Amino acid sequence: MSTPNGYGFRSIIVSRRKIDLYLDTLRRSFSMMNSVETSIRNKLREHFKPLYLDVMNESNMHNVPKGSETHFKVVLVSDLFNSKTLLQRHRMVNELLVNELNGPIHALSIQAKTPQQWEDSKHITKSPPCLGGSGK
């Protein structure tokens, strides 16, 4: 069967599917460009000029919907941490990420090291398993 413009219904359906797939790809690309993880990475990189930076989305280890960006671990090595206590380092990171912490981030694990500490040990502490929110 044909439509008034000569195209068959099947080609219209196929074209519609292609358009939907294309739009879905664009949405995902836009989402990735504006993701919480990208925002965290960009802010930390710009402010701290790190010697080492790793931002890990650990949301998949928790009882949240697939694709969530709520639980993160940050490993950050910067000269700006020299002569700062661990508490001061954490505060520096938390202050920089205040919008994310007041919004989509539920949990943020921070490993903030000086270059010397990183040189002495590049060990990254493993995150504990999710307790499902029950605390048990």
Side-chain angles (χ1 to χ4, degrees):
M1 181 176 253
S2 292
T3 62
N5 63 6
Y7 292 104
F9 285 115
R10 177 174 227 152
S11 66
I12 290 173
I13 291 170
V14 169
S15 295
R16 177 62 194 199
R17 286 184 187 146
K18 286 181 181 178
I19 290 169
D20 287 343
L21 286 171
Y22 176 72
L23 289 174
D24 190 48
T25 301
L26 283 176
R27 279 188 211 102
R28 273 190 257 131
S29 296
F30 183 75
S31 174
M32 286 171 43
M33 289 181 346
N34 294 316
S35 73
V36 176
E37 182 176 347
T38 301
S39 176
I40 293 169
R41 188 177 310 282
N42 289 342
K43 285 183 176 184
L44 293 173
R45 189 177 291 136
E46 185 178 311
H47 181 79
F48 289 102
K49 309 287 189 253
L51 302 170
Y52 179 87
L53 172 64
D54 195 2
V55 178
M56 296 162 263
N57 182 351
E58 296 186 331
S59 302
N60 64 323
M61 298 168 50
H62 299 274
N63 189 20
V64 296
K66 185 177 180 180
S68 293
E69 291 188 291
T70 55
H71 297 71
F72 289 90
K73 177 189 287 188
V74 169
V75 180
L76 181 61
V77 180
S78 174
D79 286 321
L80 295 178
F81 295 146
N82 289 331
S83 77
K84 303 284 188 213
T85 66
L86 185 59
L87 180 59
Q88 289 171 321
R89 296 175 204 170
H90 282 233
R91 284 182 178 157
M92 291 168 70
V93 172
N94 287 335
E95 287 169 7
L96 184 67
L97 301 177
V98 68
N99 290 334
E100 290 80 2
L101 290 166
N102 286 330
I105 294 180
H106 170 73
L108 178 64
S109 169
I110 303 169
Q111 293 185 33
K113 298 185 176 195
T114 66
Q116 185 59 54
Q117 289 172 323
W118 183 247
E119 193 60 39
D120 292 345
S121 173
K122 292 180 173 60
H123 176 73
I124 298 172
T125 306
K126 185 177 176 187
S127 297
C130 177
L131 299 176
S134 67
K136 295 181 182 179

